[in-house]
């Protein structure tokens, strides 16, 4: 979830090209930021589709309303491409687990007077778990604890693999209007 100033995700307004981004259906629970709140899933936009990110904190609520008490994150998408780009990133935690790999390809084509920019992405991350072990001396539960040293709870990142296809299309309709869509 997107959050600023240690306030919950519902207090940060997320925009894409200056337009409000839809919130996710995930309610963040337990030890995640914004317990019991619904925010915007930033992983729904592939990194290869982003030109830049603008962050406004001071005075954001005065300009954008109460949704922006913590601030505004405006994600500006690539709307043209003079060339195609292919990017990869990989990493692992200092504990040696949680390996992750990302690859994305971005390109664009002209459609009449408009531009269709598209991104294909792949993301894979491996499990991290920092739940620790249960220490309990009660013999009633010892058999269960021996078989479930972490209490059946995972604190960290899950195993995840995802593929993305993202488009950003703009078409001028005149001097003061344009048609746009991104998804």
């Amino acid at each position: 979830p997107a959050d600023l100033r240690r306030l919950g995700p519902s207090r940060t307004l997320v925009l894409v090209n200056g337009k409000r981004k839809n919130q996710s259906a995930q309610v963040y629970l337990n030890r995640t930021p914004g317990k019991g709140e619904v925010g915007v899933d930033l992983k729904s936009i592939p990194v290869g589709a982003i030109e830049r990110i603008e962050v406004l904190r001071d005075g954001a609520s005065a300009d954008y309303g109460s949704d922006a008490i913590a601030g505004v994150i405006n994600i500006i998408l690539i709307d043209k491409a003079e060339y195609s780009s292919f990017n990869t990133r990989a990493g692992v935690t200092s504990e040696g687990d949680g390996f992750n790999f990302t690859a994305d390809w971005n390109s664009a084509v002209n459609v009449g007077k408009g531009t269709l920019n598209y991104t294909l992405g792949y993301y894979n991350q491996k499990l991290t778990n920092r739940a620790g072990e249960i220490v309990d001396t009660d013999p009633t539960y010892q058999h269960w604890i021996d078989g479930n040293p972490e209490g059946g709870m995972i604190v960290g990142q899950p195993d995840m693999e995802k593929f993305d296809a993202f488009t950003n299309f703009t078409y001028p309709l005149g001097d003061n209007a344009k048609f746009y869509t991104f998804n």
Side-chain angles (χ1 to χ4, degrees), residues 115-139:
T115 303
L116 172 65
N117 183 282
Y118 52 94
T119 304
L120 300 175
Y122 172 76
Y123 180 76
N124 188 321
Q125 78 181 16
K126 299 299 179 193
L127 177 73
T128 61
N129 191 358
R130 305 292 184 268
E133 291 187 15
I134 296 175
V135 178
D136 192 340
T137 57
D138 186 344

PDB file of all heavy atoms in Angstrom, residues 115-139:
ATOM      1  N   THR A 115      -0.983   7.996 -29.607  1.00  0.00           N
ATOM      2  CA  THR A 115       0.113   7.105 -29.242  1.00  0.00           C
ATOM      3  C   THR A 115      -0.397   6.012 -28.310  1.00  0.00           C
ATOM      4  O   THR A 115      -1.114   6.283 -27.349  1.00  0.00           O
ATOM      5  CB  THR A 115       1.227   7.877 -28.510  1.00  0.00           C
ATOM      6  OG1 THR A 115       1.669   8.944 -29.342  1.00  0.00           O
ATOM      7  CG2 THR A 115       2.401   6.981 -28.201  1.00  0.00           C
ATOM      8  N   LEU A 116      -0.015   4.775 -28.619  1.00  0.00           N
ATOM      9  CA  LEU A 116      -0.306   3.644 -27.749  1.00  0.00           C
ATOM     10  C   LEU A 116       1.021   3.167 -27.170  1.00  0.00           C
ATOM     11  O   LEU A 116       1.889   2.701 -27.896  1.00  0.00           O
ATOM     12  CB  LEU A 116      -0.978   2.502 -28.512  1.00  0.00           C
ATOM     13  CG  LEU A 116      -1.155   1.197 -27.732  1.00  0.00           C
ATOM     14  CD1 LEU A 116      -2.104   1.392 -26.557  1.00  0.00           C
ATOM     15  CD2 LEU A 116      -1.637   0.083 -28.640  1.00  0.00           C
ATOM     16  N   ASN A 117       1.178   3.340 -25.859  1.00  0.00           N
ATOM     17  CA  ASN A 117       2.363   2.863 -25.161  1.00  0.00           C
ATOM     18  C   ASN A 117       1.972   1.595 -24.424  1.00  0.00           C
ATOM     19  O   ASN A 117       0.918   1.541 -23.796  1.00  0.00           O
ATOM     20  CB  ASN A 117       2.872   3.933 -24.185  1.00  0.00           C
ATOM     21  CG  ASN A 117       4.145   3.504 -23.503  1.00  0.00           C
ATOM     22  OD1 ASN A 117       4.109   2.709 -22.577  1.00  0.00           O
ATOM     23  ND2 ASN A 117       5.261   4.019 -23.990  1.00  0.00           N
ATOM     24  N   TYR A 118       2.793   0.563 -24.497  1.00  0.00           N
ATOM     25  CA  TYR A 118       2.449  -0.694 -23.836  1.00  0.00           C
ATOM     26  C   TYR A 118       3.668  -1.259 -23.111  1.00  0.00           C
ATOM     27  O   TYR A 118       4.810  -1.046 -23.512  1.00  0.00           O
ATOM     28  CB  TYR A 118       1.865  -1.708 -24.815  1.00  0.00           C
ATOM     29  CG  TYR A 118       2.704  -1.937 -26.047  1.00  0.00           C
ATOM     30  CD1 TYR A 118       3.629  -2.968 -26.101  1.00  0.00           C
ATOM     31  CD2 TYR A 118       2.565  -1.120 -27.164  1.00  0.00           C
ATOM     32  CE1 TYR A 118       4.398  -3.172 -27.226  1.00  0.00           C
ATOM     33  CE2 TYR A 118       3.326  -1.318 -28.288  1.00  0.00           C
ATOM     34  CZ  TYR A 118       4.243  -2.354 -28.316  1.00  0.00           C
ATOM     35  OH  TYR A 118       5.010  -2.555 -29.437  1.00  0.00           O
ATOM     36  N   THR A 119       3.376  -1.946 -22.035  1.00  0.00           N
ATOM     37  CA  THR A 119       4.411  -2.545 -21.198  1.00  0.00           C
ATOM     38  C   THR A 119       4.014  -3.972 -20.876  1.00  0.00           C
ATOM     39  O   THR A 119       2.867  -4.233 -20.509  1.00  0.00           O
ATOM     40  CB  THR A 119       4.571  -1.759 -19.883  1.00  0.00           C
ATOM     41  OG1 THR A 119       4.847  -0.393 -20.182  1.00  0.00           O
ATOM     42  CG2 THR A 119       5.693  -2.323 -19.031  1.00  0.00           C
ATOM     43  N   LEU A 120       4.964  -4.871 -20.991  1.00  0.00           N
ATOM     44  CA  LEU A 120       4.795  -6.255 -20.560  1.00  0.00           C
ATOM     45  C   LEU A 120       5.757  -6.480 -19.410  1.00  0.00           C
ATOM     46  O   LEU A 120       6.922  -6.081 -19.498  1.00  0.00           O
ATOM     47  CB  LEU A 120       5.092  -7.229 -21.694  1.00  0.00           C
ATOM     48  CG  LEU A 120       4.227  -7.084 -22.942  1.00  0.00           C
ATOM     49  CD1 LEU A 120       4.713  -8.022 -24.039  1.00  0.00           C
ATOM     50  CD2 LEU A 120       2.773  -7.368 -22.614  1.00  0.00           C
ATOM     51  N   GLY A 121       5.278  -7.086 -18.337  1.00  0.00           N
ATOM     52  CA  GLY A 121       6.130  -7.265 -17.171  1.00  0.00           C
ATOM     53  C   GLY A 121       6.008  -8.640 -16.558  1.00  0.00           C
ATOM     54  O   GLY A 121       5.006  -9.335 -16.723  1.00  0.00           O
ATOM     55  N   TYR A 122       7.060  -9.022 -15.850  1.00  0.00           N
ATOM     56  CA  TYR A 122       7.099 -10.284 -15.113  1.00  0.00           C
ATOM     57  C   TYR A 122       7.731 -10.009 -13.754  1.00  0.00           C
ATOM     58  O   TYR A 122       8.717  -9.270 -13.662  1.00  0.00           O
ATOM     59  CB  TYR A 122       7.926 -11.332 -15.864  1.00  0.00           C
ATOM     60  CG  TYR A 122       8.152 -12.586 -15.068  1.00  0.00           C
ATOM     61  CD1 TYR A 122       7.137 -13.523 -14.910  1.00  0.00           C
ATOM     62  CD2 TYR A 122       9.375 -12.836 -14.462  1.00  0.00           C
ATOM     63  CE1 TYR A 122       7.334 -14.672 -14.167  1.00  0.00           C
ATOM     64  CE2 TYR A 122       9.579 -13.987 -13.717  1.00  0.00           C
ATOM     65  CZ  TYR A 122       8.557 -14.902 -13.578  1.00  0.00           C
ATOM     66  OH  TYR A 122       8.758 -16.031 -12.839  1.00  0.00           O
ATOM     67  N   TYR A 123       7.147 -10.571 -12.692  1.00  0.00           N
ATOM     68  CA  TYR A 123       7.684 -10.395 -11.343  1.00  0.00           C
ATOM     69  C   TYR A 123       7.591 -11.717 -10.603  1.00  0.00           C
ATOM     70  O   TYR A 123       6.572 -12.396 -10.659  1.00  0.00           O
ATOM     71  CB  TYR A 123       6.894  -9.321 -10.592  1.00  0.00           C
ATOM     72  CG  TYR A 123       7.384  -9.071  -9.188  1.00  0.00           C
ATOM     73  CD1 TYR A 123       8.543  -8.344  -8.965  1.00  0.00           C
ATOM     74  CD2 TYR A 123       6.700  -9.571  -8.093  1.00  0.00           C
ATOM     75  CE1 TYR A 123       9.000  -8.118  -7.673  1.00  0.00           C
ATOM     76  CE2 TYR A 123       7.147  -9.342  -6.808  1.00  0.00           C
ATOM     77  CZ  TYR A 123       8.298  -8.619  -6.606  1.00  0.00           C
ATOM     78  OH  TYR A 123       8.751  -8.395  -5.329  1.00  0.00           O
ATOM     79  N   ASN A 124       8.673 -12.088  -9.896  1.00  0.00           N
ATOM     80  CA  ASN A 124       8.697 -13.310  -9.107  1.00  0.00           C
ATOM     81  C   ASN A 124       9.421 -13.020  -7.809  1.00  0.00           C
ATOM     82  O   ASN A 124      10.518 -12.472  -7.823  1.00  0.00           O
ATOM     83  CB  ASN A 124       9.416 -14.417  -9.880  1.00  0.00           C
ATOM     84  CG  ASN A 124       9.294 -15.764  -9.191  1.00  0.00           C
ATOM     85  OD1 ASN A 124       9.362 -15.860  -7.968  1.00  0.00           O
ATOM     86  ND2 ASN A 124       9.125 -16.805  -9.976  1.00  0.00           N
ATOM     87  N   GLN A 125       8.802 -13.345  -6.687  1.00  0.00           N
ATOM     88  CA  GLN A 125       9.461 -13.192  -5.388  1.00  0.00           C
ATOM     89  C   GLN A 125       9.285 -14.474  -4.590  1.00  0.00           C
ATOM     90  O   GLN A 125       8.274 -15.151  -4.697  1.00  0.00           O
ATOM     91  CB  GLN A 125       8.938 -11.990  -4.605  1.00  0.00           C
ATOM     92  CG  GLN A 125       7.616 -12.191  -3.925  1.00  0.00           C
ATOM     93  CD  GLN A 125       7.130 -10.957  -3.186  1.00  0.00           C
ATOM     94  OE1 GLN A 125       7.607  -9.860  -3.391  1.00  0.00           O
ATOM     95  NE2 GLN A 125       6.155 -11.150  -2.341  1.00  0.00           N
ATOM     96  N   LYS A 126      10.300 -14.788  -3.812  1.00  0.00           N
ATOM     97  CA  LYS A 126      10.279 -15.983  -2.973  1.00  0.00           C
ATOM     98  C   LYS A 126       9.953 -15.608  -1.535  1.00  0.00           C
ATOM     99  O   LYS A 126      10.126 -14.464  -1.114  1.00  0.00           O
ATOM    100  CB  LYS A 126      11.630 -16.709  -3.033  1.00  0.00           C
ATOM    101  CG  LYS A 126      11.993 -17.178  -4.426  1.00  0.00           C
ATOM    102  CD  LYS A 126      10.968 -18.146  -4.954  1.00  0.00           C
ATOM    103  CE  LYS A 126      11.319 -18.606  -6.354  1.00  0.00           C
ATOM    104  NZ  LYS A 126      10.238 -19.290  -7.012  1.00  0.00           N
ATOM    105  N   LEU A 127       9.535 -16.568  -0.774  1.00  0.00           N
ATOM    106  CA  LEU A 127       9.067 -16.404   0.595  1.00  0.00           C
ATOM    107  C   LEU A 127      10.144 -15.842   1.526  1.00  0.00           C
ATOM    108  O   LEU A 127      11.306 -16.223   1.448  1.00  0.00           O
ATOM    109  CB  LEU A 127       8.614 -17.764   1.125  1.00  0.00           C
ATOM    110  CG  LEU A 127       8.160 -17.835   2.577  1.00  0.00           C
ATOM    111  CD1 LEU A 127       6.799 -17.184   2.717  1.00  0.00           C
ATOM    112  CD2 LEU A 127       8.107 -19.276   3.046  1.00  0.00           C
ATOM    113  N   THR A 128       9.728 -14.921   2.384  1.00  0.00           N
ATOM    114  CA  THR A 128      10.517 -14.538   3.553  1.00  0.00           C
ATOM    115  C   THR A 128       9.619 -14.752   4.759  1.00  0.00           C
ATOM    116  O   THR A 128       8.406 -14.548   4.677  1.00  0.00           O
ATOM    117  CB  THR A 128      10.969 -13.056   3.527  1.00  0.00           C
ATOM    118  OG1 THR A 128       9.822 -12.217   3.515  1.00  0.00           O
ATOM    119  CG2 THR A 128      11.829 -12.766   2.325  1.00  0.00           C
ATOM    120  N   ASN A 129      10.198 -15.170   5.859  1.00  0.00           N
ATOM    121  CA  ASN A 129       9.395 -15.411   7.058  1.00  0.00           C
ATOM    122  C   ASN A 129      10.211 -15.023   8.284  1.00  0.00           C
ATOM    123  O   ASN A 129      11.266 -15.586   8.543  1.00  0.00           O
ATOM    124  CB  ASN A 129       8.967 -16.874   7.145  1.00  0.00           C
ATOM    125  CG  ASN A 129       7.929 -17.100   8.224  1.00  0.00           C
ATOM    126  OD1 ASN A 129       7.548 -16.177   8.949  1.00  0.00           O
ATOM    127  ND2 ASN A 129       7.463 -18.323   8.343  1.00  0.00           N
ATOM    128  N   ARG A 130       9.714 -14.045   9.024  1.00  0.00           N
ATOM    129  CA  ARG A 130      10.374 -13.576  10.232  1.00  0.00           C
ATOM    130  C   ARG A 130       9.499 -13.801  11.469  1.00  0.00           C
ATOM    131  O   ARG A 130       9.547 -13.055  12.424  1.00  0.00           O
ATOM    132  CB  ARG A 130      10.707 -12.079  10.121  1.00  0.00           C
ATOM    133  CG  ARG A 130      11.528 -11.681   8.917  1.00  0.00           C
ATOM    134  CD  ARG A 130      12.942 -12.242   9.023  1.00  0.00           C
ATOM    135  NE  ARG A 130      13.763 -11.782   7.910  1.00  0.00           N
ATOM    136  CZ  ARG A 130      13.920 -12.442   6.772  1.00  0.00           C
ATOM    137  NH1 ARG A 130      13.304 -13.585   6.586  1.00  0.00           N
ATOM    138  NH2 ARG A 130      14.679 -11.972   5.817  1.00  0.00           N
ATOM    139  N   ALA A 131       8.674 -14.852  11.416  1.00  0.00           N
ATOM    140  CA  ALA A 131       7.753 -15.119  12.524  1.00  0.00           C
ATOM    141  C   ALA A 131       8.474 -15.556  13.789  1.00  0.00           C
ATOM    142  O   ALA A 131       7.969 -15.392  14.877  1.00  0.00           O
ATOM    143  CB  ALA A 131       6.728 -16.185  12.122  1.00  0.00           C
ATOM    144  N   GLY A 132       9.654 -16.143  13.670  1.00  0.00           N
ATOM    145  CA  GLY A 132      10.362 -16.631  14.849  1.00  0.00           C
ATOM    146  C   GLY A 132       9.765 -17.941  15.326  1.00  0.00           C
ATOM    147  O   GLY A 132       8.940 -18.555  14.662  1.00  0.00           O
ATOM    148  N   GLU A 133      10.190 -18.390  16.485  1.00  0.00           N
ATOM    149  CA  GLU A 133       9.697 -19.643  17.027  1.00  0.00           C
ATOM    150  C   GLU A 133       8.885 -19.393  18.287  1.00  0.00           C
ATOM    151  O   GLU A 133       9.137 -18.460  19.035  1.00  0.00           O
ATOM    152  CB  GLU A 133      10.869 -20.568  17.363  1.00  0.00           C
ATOM    153  CG  GLU A 133      11.591 -21.063  16.138  1.00  0.00           C
ATOM    154  CD  GLU A 133      12.637 -22.118  16.469  1.00  0.00           C
ATOM    155  OE1 GLU A 133      12.609 -22.659  17.588  1.00  0.00           O
ATOM    156  OE2 GLU A 133      13.461 -22.381  15.597  1.00  0.00           O
ATOM    157  N   ILE A 134       7.907 -20.254  18.518  1.00  0.00           N
ATOM    158  CA  ILE A 134       7.068 -20.158  19.714  1.00  0.00           C
ATOM    159  C   ILE A 134       7.813 -20.800  20.878  1.00  0.00           C
ATOM    160  O   ILE A 134       8.357 -21.901  20.754  1.00  0.00           O
ATOM    161  CB  ILE A 134       5.728 -20.871  19.504  1.00  0.00           C
ATOM    162  CG1 ILE A 134       4.940 -20.176  18.406  1.00  0.00           C
ATOM    163  CG2 ILE A 134       4.944 -20.923  20.800  1.00  0.00           C
ATOM    164  CD1 ILE A 134       3.655 -20.872  18.057  1.00  0.00           C
ATOM    165  N   VAL A 135       7.851 -20.105  21.969  1.00  0.00           N
ATOM    166  CA  VAL A 135       8.439 -20.656  23.184  1.00  0.00           C
ATOM    167  C   VAL A 135       7.309 -20.806  24.192  1.00  0.00           C
ATOM    168  O   VAL A 135       6.740 -19.824  24.654  1.00  0.00           O
ATOM    169  CB  VAL A 135       9.547 -19.730  23.734  1.00  0.00           C
ATOM    170  CG1 VAL A 135      10.104 -20.305  25.025  1.00  0.00           C
ATOM    171  CG2 VAL A 135      10.623 -19.517  22.704  1.00  0.00           C
ATOM    172  N   ASP A 136       6.963 -22.052  24.492  1.00  0.00           N
ATOM    173  CA  ASP A 136       5.864 -22.332  25.412  1.00  0.00           C
ATOM    174  C   ASP A 136       6.221 -23.601  26.177  1.00  0.00           C
ATOM    175  O   ASP A 136       6.621 -24.600  25.589  1.00  0.00           O
ATOM    176  CB  ASP A 136       4.561 -22.524  24.632  1.00  0.00           C
ATOM    177  CG  ASP A 136       3.348 -22.537  25.544  1.00  0.00           C
ATOM    178  OD1 ASP A 136       3.502 -22.772  26.752  1.00  0.00           O
ATOM    179  OD2 ASP A 136       2.250 -22.297  25.031  1.00  0.00           O
ATOM    180  N   THR A 137       6.076 -23.578  27.449  1.00  0.00           N
ATOM    181  CA  THR A 137       6.431 -24.729  28.272  1.00  0.00           C
ATOM    182  C   THR A 137       5.216 -25.578  28.628  1.00  0.00           C
ATOM    183  O   THR A 137       5.362 -26.583  29.314  1.00  0.00           O
ATOM    184  CB  THR A 137       7.122 -24.266  29.567  1.00  0.00           C
ATOM    185  OG1 THR A 137       6.243 -23.373  30.258  1.00  0.00           O
ATOM    186  CG2 THR A 137       8.422 -23.566  29.252  1.00  0.00           C
ATOM    187  N   ASP A 138       4.037 -25.191  28.173  1.00  0.00           N
ATOM    188  CA  ASP A 138       2.830 -25.953  28.486  1.00  0.00           C
ATOM    189  C   ASP A 138       2.865 -27.280  27.715  1.00  0.00           C
ATOM    190  O   ASP A 138       2.827 -27.292  26.485  1.00  0.00           O
ATOM    191  CB  ASP A 138       1.592 -25.140  28.089  1.00  0.00           C
ATOM    192  CG  ASP A 138       0.303 -25.816  28.534  1.00  0.00           C
ATOM    193  OD1 ASP A 138       0.329 -27.019  28.873  1.00  0.00           O
ATOM    194  OD2 ASP A 138      -0.728 -25.131  28.537  1.00  0.00           O
ATOM    195  N   PRO A 139       2.935 -28.423  28.399  1.00  0.00           N
ATOM    196  CA  PRO A 139       3.049 -29.717  27.719  1.00  0.00           C
ATOM    197  C   PRO A 139       1.814 -30.074  26.895  1.00  0.00           C
ATOM    198  O   PRO A 139       1.896 -30.877  25.969  1.00  0.00           O
ATOM    199  CB  PRO A 139       3.253 -30.717  28.865  1.00  0.00           C
ATOM    200  CG  PRO A 139       2.790 -30.024  30.094  1.00  0.00           C
ATOM    201  CD  PRO A 139       2.920 -28.553  29.855  1.00  0.00           C
TER     202      PRO A 139
END
